[in-house]
Amino acid sequence: MKEPLEDHWAAVKRILWYLKGTLTWGLHLRPASAPFSINAFCDADWASDPDDRRSTSGACVYFGPNLVSWWSKKQSVVARSSTEAEYRSLALVNAEVSWLQSLFMNFLFLTNFLLFIVSTQALWLWLITKSFMLVQSTWS
């Protein structure tokens, strides 16, 4: 800015005071012990926005004891049920974990895949889908 005003300087001072007081804050990383694992937690809030009725998904992904990825965002489409919203959230976190798993495989970390599901509706839908795929593969 060419000519800052008093309000601008006050904002800069507020930011500096905030940074000074939060120097010790942050993500604390601890060494992960073998076997390495990826743990993911996800959830969805069905039709949480009253204006467009879209659901909100959220997830956090841990590598061992360390948080490596987290997000919360609106889903791109309107879900017809809470189960569909949960299932979409599960699909998003599954894609994230698959990407992280392939990334760690490139670094020669062998990882176990462990996905925690917060919603019981998504758990039942996931179990039904898995059992259907298992039955379908045994028939062929």
Side-chain angles (χ1 to χ4, degrees):
M1 294 178 52
K2 189 174 180 181
E3 297 177 20
L5 301 174
E6 287 296 320
D7 292 339
H8 297 116
W9 287 116
V12 168
K13 286 181 184 178
R14 251 192 324 268
I15 291 170
L16 291 175
W17 276 106
Y18 174 78
L19 292 176
K20 181 182 176 187
T22 59
L23 287 176
T24 59
W25 292 10
L27 294 176
H28 301 284
L29 301 177
R30 292 173 274 159
S33 58
F36 300 112
S37 65
I38 298 174
N39 300 320
F41 300 87
C42 68
D43 196 15
D45 187 14
W46 180 53
S48 56
D49 190 346
D51 294 330
D52 59 7
R53 306 305 291 165
R54 289 193 297 170
S55 304
T56 303
S57 293
C60 57
V61 182
Y62 289 85
F63 178 64
N66 302 309
L67 181 66
V68 293
S69 176
W70 64 95
W71 49 265
S72 175
K73 62 181 182 178
K74 276 180 146 182
Q75 294 181 358
S76 58
V77 297
V78 177
R80 293 182 186 163
S81 66
S82 60
T83 304
E84 182 182 350
E86 298 283 350
Y87 198 65
R88 288 182 185 279
S89 178
L90 182 64
L92 288 171
V93 79
N94 192 14
E96 178 85 13
V97 167
S98 296
W99 179 80
L100 283 171
Q101 195 171 23
S102 68
L103 178 70
F104 291 141
M105 287 295 225
N106 288 338
F107 293 127
L108 300 177
F109 290 118
L110 302 177
T111 59
N112 298 324
F113 175 58
L114 184 56
L115 182 64
F116 289 100
I117 304 166
V118 175
S119 170
T120 55
Q121 292 176 338
L123 174 63
W124 282 111
L125 191 57
W126 184 75
L127 289 174
I128 290 169
T129 306
K130 284 293 182 187
S131 61
F132 175 73
M133 290 168 45
L134 179 66
V135 167
Q136 190 178 23
S137 67
T138 57
W139 284 348
S140 11

